[in-house]
Amino acid sequence: MPGDKSISHRALMLGGLAIGQTRITGLLEGDDVHATAAALRALGVQITRDVPGNWIVSGVGVGGLDEPSQVLDMGNSGTAARLLLGVLATHNMTAFMTGDHSLVKRPMARVTTPLARMGADFVTRGGRLPLVVRGAVNPIPIVYRMEVASAQVKSAVLLAGLNAPGETTVIEPVGTRDHTERMLRHFGGTVSVATLEDGATAITVQGQPELIAAPIIVPGDPSSAAFPAVAALLVPGSELILRNVGMNPLRTGLYETLVEMGADISYADAGEAGGEPVSNLVVRASALKGITVPAERAPRMIDEYPILAMAAACAQGTTHLLGLAELRVKESDRLAMIAAGLAACGVKIEVGEDSLTIHGTGRPPNGGATVATAFDHRIAMSFLVLGLVSNESIGVDDATAIATSFPTFETLMTGLGARITGAPA
Ligand code: S3P
C-alpha cells in the first residue's frame, strides 16, 4: 500500500522543524505530499530523495523557517494548506498561499480564526485561498475548543503552539486522527492528553521545544487500502492480503463498518511503524448487507464514505450514512458527487443535508455511465472500483486527481486483474 498521506505530510513538516536529519522511509510520493515538500523547500528546509520512498529532511529547528519569496502553492491538498498555515502563523514573516481550483473553494476560516487569536494576521479571499499570512511577532499560546471535528484544525493549532511560549491546548469534543500528537512525541516534543468533565479531550503541547530528528517509517495508508479492500469484497472469488496497513484506531471506522455489513476481513502480523499500529489485512469476497452508520463514527472514517457508498450500493438492503456535513467541503462536495454518480449508475439513493441513504439490491448496479469526479481522487477511485462489478462498465470523466494520493492505483488494480482503459480524448 502507498504510504499514509496524513503521516507523510507531518513527517516532512515536523522533520523540517526538528534539529538534524530526519530519514523517512515509505513516504507517499503523491502530488499532495510533493506540494508540502515544495513549500517547505521554499521556506528554507533542505529535502532530498534517496531511493523511491526514502527521503531525508534537514530540519531548521522550531521557529527557524525563512520567509518565502514565492507564493506557496498547496495544489489540491487541504491538509498541506491548513497544517502549514499553523506553522506559518507563529513565524515572524509574511507568506502568500494558494491552491488549485478545488482547494481555493475550501474553507480556511476554521484555521485562520484560532490562529489569529495566537497573533497572526490574515488577508483572505472571503475565508478562502489565496491568502496572505503575517505570522505573529509575539506568538500567544491559547486554549481553543474546536467547532468542527477536524484533525487538520487541531494540528494547525498544535503546530502553531510549537513556536509560542508556554502551553497551547486544543479541546476536541470528538476524537480525530492523532498523528500530529504521536509524531511530536516521536521527535521529543511534550504533548499531554486529558479527559475533561464533559467527556471532551484536551491536548496540550509545550511550546518552544527542541525537536530532535528521528527516523520515520510511514505505514501504508488505510484510506488508500480501502479501495482494493472493497474491490476484493465485491468481486466474487477474491482474496487479498494488504500488507502493512496503518491501524490507528482513529482511522479504522471503515473496516469496523464493513465487518458490521458482513465483510470477511481478518488481521494478521500486527506490529508498529513510526509510533503507529500496523497490520496485514486479509480480505475475502463477501455478501454484504445494509446497515446504519452512526454520525459519531464519521471522524474516524471521514475519507472513506465514497468507497463505502460503493459497497452499500452492492449490499442487500438499505444503508444510512449519517453525520456527513464535512463531506460537502472536501476535495469536492462528496455528498453531491456520490449521489449523482450512483444515480447515473442505476442505484436508488437519497441525499440529505448531511446524510445519504443507499438502497442496495444485493446485486451489482447496472453502471454504464461516465461519472463526474470534480477532480476528486476518492470519487474517481470509488467509481472505478464499482466498475469492476457493475453490469456495464463505468467511466470517470477525469482520473488525473488519483495521483494526489494513490499514484500506483491503476498499476496495482490492473495487476490484480482489473481492466482499466484510457479515457477517450
Ligand atoms: C486529514 C484530516 C481529515 C481528512 C484529510 C486528512 C489530516 O480532514 O479528511 O484527508 O491529515 O489531518 P479533517 O480533519 O479536516 O476532517
Side-chain angles (χ1 to χ4, degrees), residues 43-60:
L43 293 160
V45 178
Q46 256 187 40
I47 301 176
T48 54
R49 181 177 185 250
D50 188 348
V51 291
N54 284 16
W55 291 58
I56 299 165
V57 183
S58 302
V60 295

Side-chain angles (χ1 to χ4, degrees), residues 5-6 10 79 82 110 149-152 177 302-303 330:
K5 181 153 70 77
S6 293
R10 287 160 172 83
T79 309
R82 296 195 181 110
R110 54 181 58 197
S150 164
Q152 295 181 355
R177 66 191 70 191
I302 194 66
D303 292 334
K330 291 295 178 189

